[in-house]
């Protein structure tokens, strides 16, 4: 909900998308979509139960695609890993929007 609200506050629309980057085969939940900024940014959100799982998932994904950018956040008792894929300038804009408050870093 936090991600959706931040994007709406900045008049950024979201559409259906398919994640084309690497993805670990273990997670509690996943959501992917495309953010309509510039050429578009693919977004993958993965839910984990611990910080260690988030770090390991990020490590594995970076190992396969060095161009990915990551944000992390809290979701009650869980941890969220957000992977961003797209042109550097477009990804940077989404990072700036989402990393405002300390709940996502």
């Amino acid at each position: 909900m936090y991600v959706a609200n931040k994007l709406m506050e900045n008049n950024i629309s979201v559409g259906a998308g398919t994640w084309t980057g690497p993805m670990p085969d273990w997670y509690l939940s996943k959501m992917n979509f495309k953010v309509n900024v510039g050429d578009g940014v693919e977004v993958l959100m993965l839910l984990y139960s611990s910080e260690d799982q988030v770090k390991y998932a990020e490590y594995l994904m970076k190992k396969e695609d060095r161009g990915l950018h990551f944000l992390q956040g809290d979701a009650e008792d869980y941890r969220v890993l957000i992977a961003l894929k797209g042109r550097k300038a477009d990804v940077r804009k989404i990072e700036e929007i989402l990393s405002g408050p300390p709940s996502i870093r």
Side-chain angles (χ1 to χ4, degrees):
M1 205 58 175
Y2 170 83
V3 171
N5 287 338
K6 290 300 284 184
L7 294 172
M8 286 188 329
E9 287 172 7
N10 288 276
N11 296 321
I12 296 175
S13 62
V14 174
T18 302
W19 179 254
T20 60
M23 180 170 42
D25 59 357
W26 44 271
Y27 45 82
L28 297 174
S29 179
K30 77 170 182 163
M31 176 188 292
N32 60 284
F33 51 91
K34 188 169 186 173
V35 178
N36 297 317
V37 165
D39 290 343
V41 175
E42 292 179 50
V43 179
L44 174 68
M45 297 174 64
L46 299 172
L47 185 68
Y48 292 101
S49 61
S50 75
E51 179 74 26
D52 290 338
Q53 290 175 328
V54 168
K55 287 179 183 177
Y56 187 60
E58 183 176 336
Y59 164 77
L60 291 176
M61 293 172 76
K62 274 184 184 175
K63 195 171 159 183
E64 285 188 48
D65 186 344
R66 304 286 300 162
L68 295 177
H69 294 265
F70 296 93
L71 297 170
Q72 296 180 25
D74 296 314
E76 307 256 338
D77 293 333
Y78 300 97
R79 297 286 302 152
V80 178
L81 177 65
I82 302 172
L84 304 169
K85 182 176 181 176
R87 280 186 338 153
K88 197 175 210 172
D90 300 339
V91 167
R92 192 173 299 126
K93 177 156 177 79
I94 298 303
E95 285 177 326
E96 288 172 6
I97 290 168
L98 296 180
S99 63
S103 60
I104 293 187
R105 58 188 187 305

